[in-house]
Amino acid sequence: MTGGSDMGSTVAVVADRISWEERRLIEAAPAFGLRLDWVNDESLGLGGPDAPSLLGYDALLVRSRSYTRGGLIATLAEAAGVPALNTARAIHACENKAVLRALLRTAGVPVPDFRLVLSRKDFQQALDELPLPLVLKPVFGGMGKRVTLIRHADTAQSVYDYVEDLGHAFEQACLVEPYLGGTSVRCLVVGRELVAAAEFESGGADWRNNAALGNSSRAVAHDPDVLKIIDQVVSELGPGIYGVDLFHSPDGPVVNEVNHAPGFRAVASATGADIPSAIGRYVQELLA
């Protein structure tokens, strides 16, 4: 594959904005013979066979935070002959929590018990089958938004009123699952390797344990059970750049979700891992 610049390969960092992670990736790129350019994911105009907005790029590094844009952009880029990281297949799997859970469970990867809720009848059945406390979360979405903890049966139906009032079925699709406590482990995977792992713990009045919410974090050892799960996830989705979020369950760790465009500032801070260099090295090897 020929590069789009004198120094080596040129990669489009496709995102709606440049955040801390994208800046670190762009800064680290020259050490690996790469040039990374930010390309706004709202200005690609893909669909034509020649994809003129992607001319000169050897690959796309998809960092779109939208849960609809990433997979669509990767699909059309690959159709135009430009490889995407992650692949369109992987992004489409990750951006839909129900699809991802089904895919991983079929492959033998441990995931939490859950029920798909598309209506109030579904919601009531989930309440009948699963013990409280329960978590209600959107199928599409991230960063802990619209994730609700249901502790008491007498408030459950009132909580669902808010879901029912959302305007689109896309927004109403939810999962209900058992609440597995206030800690989770974010595993940052590059290629097939677990580069860093950090445990996040909810604090204060907010029960959610999401790094985007500023929860406390600490580095954790690479547990053999976790390494086995990471290998299973990568075997199913293909090598790539992932944030694999794990919960602790009575039967061991389970995969809550896999983020296809993971933030890694908190993990890097907690562990000291040089994640931008790991990603730069991986992209360099893929384009060699």
Side-chain angles (χ1 to χ4, degrees), residues 260-274:
H260 67 271
F264 52 80
R265 185 174 186 173
V267 175
S269 176
T271 65
D274 188 355

Side-chain angles (χ1 to χ4, degrees), residues 23-34:
R23 292 192 189 96
R24 300 292 89 77
L25 291 170
I26 290 169
E27 291 168 0
F32 301 96
L34 302 171

Side-chain angles (χ1 to χ4, degrees), residues 39-86:
V39 175
N40 193 320
D41 64 8
E42 296 178 336
S43 61
L44 287 167
L46 297 177
D50 298 327
S53 61
L54 301 181
L55 291 178
Y57 290 112
D58 298 290
L60 264 62
L61 182 57
V62 180
R63 298 281 306 173
S64 296
R65 290 160 183 82
S66 164
Y67 273 73
T68 54
R69 294 178 189 173
L72 296 172
I73 289 169
T75 296
L76 294 178
E78 290 176 353
V82 182
L85 303 174
N86 292 316

Side-chain angles (χ1 to χ4, degrees), residues 58-247:
D58 298 290
L60 264 62
L61 182 57
V62 180
R63 298 281 306 173
S64 296
R65 290 160 183 82
S66 164
Y67 273 73
T68 54
R69 294 178 189 173
L72 296 172
I73 289 169
T75 296
L76 294 178
E78 290 176 353
V82 182
L85 303 174
N86 292 316
T87 66
R89 176 185 177 274
I91 294 174
H92 280 302
C94 292
E95 64 191 2
N96 183 317
K97 292 182 180 65
V99 169
L100 179 70
R101 291 274 181 94
L103 188 70
L104 294 180
R105 187 165 61 186
T106 300
V109 181
V111 299
D113 194 8
F114 71 94
R115 300 294 184 273
L116 176 64
V117 171
L118 300 176
S119 67
R120 193 176 288 272
K121 289 182 179 179
D122 279 340
F123 183 62
Q124 183 59 56
Q125 185 170 337
L127 294 176
D128 293 341
E129 294 180 1
L130 300 174
L132 293 169
L134 293 169
V135 174
L136 175 69
K137 62 174 59 173
V139 167
F140 303 97
M143 301 176 68
K145 294 181 178 180
R146 290 179 49 216
V147 179
T148 305
L149 178 61
I150 301 173
R151 297 184 184 273
H152 307 290
D154 58 355
T155 60
Q157 297 298 335
S158 295
V159 169
Y160 192 75
D161 288 344
Y162 290 94
V163 175
E164 205 167 49
D165 283 345
L166 293 170
H168 305 286
F170 176 89
E171 298 171 323
Q172 292 174 343
C174 293
L175 300 183
V176 169
E177 62 187 34
Y179 174 56
L180 294 177
T183 60
S184 64
V185 176
R186 162 60 64 94
C187 299
L188 207 294
V189 177
V190 180
R192 291 186 171 274
E193 179 186 359
L194 175 57
V195 173
E199 184 176 73
F200 293 89
E201 184 173 3
S202 58
D206 197 329
W207 64 273
R208 296 169 295 176
N209 50 27
N210 189 291
L213 301 174
N215 298 157
S216 61
S217 61
R218 65 179 183 89
V220 294
H222 293 189
D223 180 272
D225 290 338
V226 170
L227 290 172
K228 179 181 177 182
I229 288 173
I230 295 301
D231 185 65
Q232 291 176 302
V233 170
V234 174
S235 293
E236 184 59 34
L237 297 179
I241 303 163
Y242 304 111
V244 182
D245 291 340
L246 306 176
F247 284 153

